[in-house]
Structures are given as structure tokens and as C-alpha cells.
Amino acid sequence: MYGPWRAEKYLLSIQTKKESKTKRENRELTDRIRKIHTESKQRYGAPKIRHMPYA
């Protein structure tokens, strides 16, 4: 039989888990896409945002 400590250990492992490299890169890319989308007056498509500088 498992005790309540097992649930506590699981919750602690979730809270202290580091973000993976892939997840961080995906989050940064999504942030960049959202920024460009906002700067292009929320237009969609490459021809409409191609003039945007890439950082």
C-alpha cells in the first residue's frame, strides 16, 4: 500500500522540474511570432510581414 508521501513526492517533482531545452526554444519562438504578428498590425501571411526585421 502506498502512503500519502507518494502523492507529495509527485507534486514536489512537478513543481521543481526544469523546463526542457526544446520546450524553452518553442516558447521563445512562439513569443517571437506573437511579437511580429502584433507589430504587423495582426496581419497573417509571409507577404504582409516580410518587411519586419528579424532579431
Side-chain angles (χ1 to χ4, degrees), residues 3-45:
W5 62 269
R6 189 173 178 107
E8 291 173 16
K9 185 176 179 182
Y10 173 72
L11 291 174
L12 183 62
S13 71
I14 291 174
Q15 293 169 349
T16 59
K17 195 172 190 179
K18 290 178 65 176
E19 186 177 39
S20 71
K21 180 182 175 188
T22 303
K23 197 167 223 172
R24 179 181 44 83
E25 290 172 348
N26 286 342
R27 182 181 43 80
E28 290 171 356
L29 181 59
T30 300
D31 292 343
R32 191 169 155 205
I33 290 169
R34 285 189 175 133
K35 181 181 176 197
I36 292 171
H37 180 68
T38 301
E39 290 174 357
S40 69
K41 300 177 185 173
Q42 299 183 351
R43 294 184 183 116
Y44 178 77

